[in-house]
Amino acid sequence: IVAFVFFSYFLAAFVFALLWWAASSRCDVGVGSFRGAFLFSVETLFTIGYGTRDQFFDGCWEAPLLVFSEGMVGVLLGCVTLGIVYTRGRAEI
């Protein structure tokens, strides 16, 4: 279970890091490498409350869509994780 949850979050962060890296030059995200994009993705996936140089992403439409999408994926992954842990715990009682 732990490996599945870890892999799911890692995969989501990795995929969104690729998307952030692709949108970085157009949207003034401020990431210059894949490592920076991965960190930015992890910050977005887990907290939605980080600082960037331009919180409006230079007026591009892709960045708010990515923030929303990644936030929703994070919430859904949290719900699935909670459901798995809860049902596994209830089955053992």
Side-chain angles (χ1 to χ4, degrees):
I1 296 173
V2 174
F4 172 75
V5 170
F6 176 80
F7 180 74
S8 299
Y9 275 104
F10 180 80
L11 183 63
F14 184 81
V15 168
F16 277 103
L18 291 173
L19 295 172
W20 279 116
W21 197 25
S24 176
S25 61
R26 185 170 168 352
C27 297
D28 193 27
V29 176
V31 295
S33 65
F34 181 74
R35 183 178 59 133
F38 186 77
L39 177 62
F40 194 79
S41 175
V42 169
E43 289 176 354
T44 305
L45 186 62
F46 288 107
T47 58
I48 311 233
Y50 46 84
T52 76
R53 291 184 295 176
D54 180 13
Q55 68 267 24
F56 299 108
F57 298 104
D58 200 26
C60 93
W61 62 270
E62 293 97 337
L65 182 64
L66 280 173
V67 169
F68 174 77
S69 300
E70 194 166 4
M72 290 304 297
V73 166
V75 168
L76 291 174
L77 280 174
C79 291
V80 168
T81 301
L82 182 63
I84 289 171
V85 169
Y86 182 71
T87 56
R88 294 274 183 178
R90 295 286 293 168
E92 294 174 5
I93 293 178

